Amino acid sequence: MDKEKARQLLSKFFIFSDYSDEELASIYSSIYLRHYSKGQMLFIEGDPRDRIYFLLSGYVKYERTNTKATLMYTDYVKPYSLFPYGGMLSDINYHYSAIVAADVSLFYIPTSVFETFVVGHSRAMVELIHQLSRILELHEKRLQTITVSSASERVIHALRYLVIDLGKQDGCEITLPFHLSTVDLAGLSGTTRETVSHVLSRLRRDHAVTIQNQKIIIHNPHIFDIGERETVTI
């Protein structure tokens, strides 16, 4: 990839800001631009953690299962995020699987190149720590709602976090721009598919949401206690 194209891609991510061409030379020569279709796997839990990805468009879903193939963990990555943070600077394998939830454009950098850059540049290290702190705060909030809420409330809370973090605003409505199954939502909310279906049915009856082309459209964001939308960067 030529240097100008590499510079344009890196400029979209704050972690690379304010560095000279000389400082970024090792990164310029190690960028691989790729496009993937919905349903493709980027990596599987246990694979060597040899790439750090930088998402330009589309959405990626994380999944982790137990030995009985029961879903234990689900999360999503939105555009202009790098991933995965799990195991950064320490682990040799990925903690979970990454699946394309909506067609993506991204580039990746070999893990060894990226981590060497971060270790050698304090501003990049500080930004990495800040992002990890934000992720920890988000997951602490999610854990609190799962432990103190009823099953139905947990579904509402899970939808709320998705709407805040990943929703696309169109006038007064917000759309979750990827397919979200009842299994996915059950995994996010720590409840069952039956409970998720019951809550979604109630929200549809109340004209609060519509499901079109496997996407959830929120007609009344205030039902999720959302006024001015806060920003959670992952």
Side-chain angles (χ1 to χ4, degrees):
M1 182 181 297
D2 66 81
K3 187 170 72 174
E4 185 56 35
K5 178 64 173 178
R7 184 189 291 114
Q8 290 176 1
L9 291 174
L10 294 180
S11 68
K12 300 178 185 298
F13 294 85
F14 185 73
I15 197 168
F16 296 116
S17 64
D18 301 325
Y19 287 108
S20 67
D21 286 342
E22 182 179 7
E23 290 173 301
L24 292 171
S26 64
I27 302 293
Y28 286 160
S29 61
S30 303
I31 292 177
Y32 300 85
L33 184 62
R34 295 289 186 269
H35 306 281
Y36 295 96
S37 299
K38 179 182 176 181
Q40 287 188 267
M41 302 288 296
L42 299 180
F43 54 81
I44 297 174
E45 181 182 353
D47 279 353
R49 198 179 63 84
D50 54 4
R51 298 175 179 179
I52 302 298
Y53 294 86
F54 297 79
L55 189 58
L56 298 168
S57 65
Y59 293 83
V60 172
K61 179 174 71 171
Y62 291 154
E63 282 189 356
R64 187 174 186 179
T65 58
N66 59 21
T67 56
K68 297 181 179 179
T70 302
L71 192 65
M72 294 176 60
Y73 175 74
T74 303
D75 209 346
Y76 291 86
V77 182
K78 62 185 177 182
Y80 304 111
S81 302
L82 74 86
F83 68 97
Y85 280 96
M88 193 71 73
L89 301 172
S90 60
D91 293 352
I92 61 174
N93 300 109
Y94 293 118
H95 292 175
Y96 33 73
S97 302
I99 307 163
V100 176
D103 294 358
V104 304
S105 294
L106 55 79
F107 64 89
Y108 70 81
I109 299 171
T111 299
S112 58
V113 174
F114 176 74
E115 291 185 348
T116 297
F117 174 82
V118 169
V119 169
H121 296 84
S122 59
R123 294 197 307 276
M125 179 67 80
V126 169
E127 175 61 16
L128 193 65
I129 292 170
H130 284 170
Q131 293 285 18
L132 286 167
S133 295
R134 295 183 189 114
I135 292 171
L136 178 60
E137 180 182 4
L138 175 63
H139 284 283
E140 285 175 343
K141 289 179 178 178
R142 288 181 177 175
L143 181 60
Q144 288 168 6
T145 60
I146 287 175
T147 55
V148 303
S149 305
S150 69
S152 295
E153 289 174 331
R154 293 201 299 270
V155 177
I156 297 295
H157 283 303
L159 282 169
R160 180 179 186 273
Y161 283 121
L162 290 171
V163 167
I164 290 172
D165 192 34
L166 304 172
K168 285 191 173 182
Q169 188 111 24
D170 182 11
C172 296
E173 297 180 338
I174 300 174
T175 300
L176 293 177
F178 50 84
H179 172 53
L180 183 69
S181 71
T182 54
V183 174
D184 295 330
L185 196 48
L188 283 166
S189 56
T191 186
T192 64
R193 293 176 60 185
E194 290 76 17
T195 298
V196 170
S197 296
H198 173 74
V199 172
L200 290 177
S201 295
R202 175 167 57 82
L203 292 173
R204 286 197 295 265
R205 286 197 306 270
D206 293 342
H207 306 291
V209 306
T210 298
I211 299 177
Q212 294 181 356
N213 300 321
Q214 298 183 320
K215 296 178 181 179
I216 297 178
I217 302 171
I218 313 297
H219 302 297
N220 181 11
H222 294 286
I223 200 169
F224 300 108
D225 194 28
I226 298 170
E228 280 298 314
R229 292 181 62 198
E230 56 191 278
T231 300
V232 181
T233 305
I234 298 181

